[in-house]
Amino acid sequence: MRIGILGGTFDPIHYGHIRPAIEVKHALALDKILLMPNHIPPHKHQPNLTTAQRLNMVADICSQLDGFELCDIEAKRDTPSYTVVTLEQLKALHPEDELFFIMGMDSFIQLQSWHEWQRLFDFAHLVVCQRPGWQLDATHPMQQILTARSQAPQETHEEHAKSTHKNSGQIFPVTITPQDISSTQIREQLAKGEIPVDLLMPVTLDYIQNQRLYLP
């Protein structure tokens, strides 16, 4: 099985998370996507909502999207949500499966600051989503790694998407439809009483309104 993994603070989860995950799922012919809320994100401030609230929002999303599942593996740890620890745990749970960890180019550029980042390739492939405004300069130290490990951009043909024989360690660049959405922007709109119907799935908006979240 080919399993995609998208982690994030998801504070709240929005179309800027969901649509790229759907596009990656199709581009790489993945069998499912795990949506994985962080518990103690090492690179960000602590979330505005509790872990339980963010898990509930993601569970609601997964109930409506075919092939999407909630992954609470980081929520169960009381230590920082280091990706390498998570992938090692997931690989132990899915030893025969191929794991595809999804990130944006903005995160890939900063990968050398991640805890034991070189070991990520021992457990999974990386999927690097191309995002507007984030480009890798030819002199950037991550460019060599990208070049050495990259697979050709995947086409729609399913067999081509399944042509890899390695179980981990490759990089799959995927061009995604540009979206200019941020959780910060959504929280600011909600705090002003604005309803960002174009940015959130209806089930998420219902949860936020019912729980009276992100009020000033």
Side-chain angles (χ1 to χ4, degrees):
M1 187 175 287
R2 294 160 66 86
I3 303 173
I5 303 152
L6 179 63
T9 309
F10 300 144
D11 187 23
I13 188 166
H14 53 69
Y15 282 126
H17 303 121
I18 297 161
R19 288 174 180 148
I22 292 172
E23 292 182 8
V24 167
K25 185 174 184 290
H26 290 310
L28 299 181
L30 303 182
D31 296 292
K32 65 181 177 182
I33 297 276
L34 303 180
L35 292 179
M36 183 177 65
N38 301 142
H39 176 44
I40 307 173
H43 296 283
K44 290 188 176 182
H45 297 299
Q46 290 307 300
N48 294 266
L49 301 189
T50 66
T51 299
Q53 289 170 321
R54 293 179 294 113
L55 286 169
N56 288 337
M57 283 195 292
V58 173
D60 286 343
I61 294 291
C62 293
S63 72
Q64 301 206 346
L65 294 179
D66 188 41
F68 279 69
E69 293 181 12
L70 170 66
C71 177
D72 63 358
I73 195 168
E74 291 193 340
K76 292 178 176 177
R77 292 205 311 262
D78 287 326
T79 54
S81 299
Y82 292 128
T83 300
V84 66
V85 176
T86 301
L87 291 181
E88 188 170 16
Q89 288 183 316
L90 286 172
K91 192 62 179 176
L93 293 171
H94 303 276
E96 301 303 319
D97 298 325
E98 273 185 284
L99 305 181
F100 294 77
F101 185 77
I102 302 166
M103 63 170 57
M105 178 60 84
D106 51 338
S107 295
F108 182 76
I109 288 173
Q110 304 293 330
L111 195 63
Q112 288 179 311
S113 68
W114 289 30
H115 178 67
E116 296 186 8
W117 67 274
Q118 296 96 330
R119 294 181 61 225
L120 297 175
F121 296 108
D122 295 340
F123 309 113
H125 303 301
L126 298 189
V127 180
V128 179
C129 297
Q130 312 292 323
R131 290 179 177 172
W134 292 91
Q135 308 244 327
L136 202 56
D137 187 270
T139 60
H140 195 282
M142 293 306 293
Q143 179 62 51
Q144 186 176 355
I145 293 164
L146 184 65
T147 301
R149 293 182 180 268
S150 274
Q151 293 298 295
Q154 301 302 294
E155 313 242 340
T156 54
H157 192 281
E158 186 170 317
E159 290 308 309
H160 179 59
K162 291 185 176 180
S163 62
T164 176
H165 299 292
K166 292 183 179 178
N167 199 251
S168 66
Q170 296 178 322
I171 296 175
F172 292 83
V174 176
T175 300
I176 57 172
T177 304
Q179 295 183 94
D180 187 17
I181 306 175
S182 76
S183 296
T184 301
Q185 162 199 357
I186 291 170
R187 292 194 300 269
E188 289 173 352
Q189 286 184 250
L190 289 165
K192 291 187 288 188
E194 299 172 7
I195 310 301
V197 291
D198 296 334
L199 309 181
L200 299 171
M201 280 185 63
V203 68
T204 307
L205 193 53
D206 286 346
Y207 183 83
I208 288 171
Q209 292 179 313
N210 290 337
Q211 298 290 318
R212 297 181 58 78
L213 305 178
Y214 302 115
L215 295 176

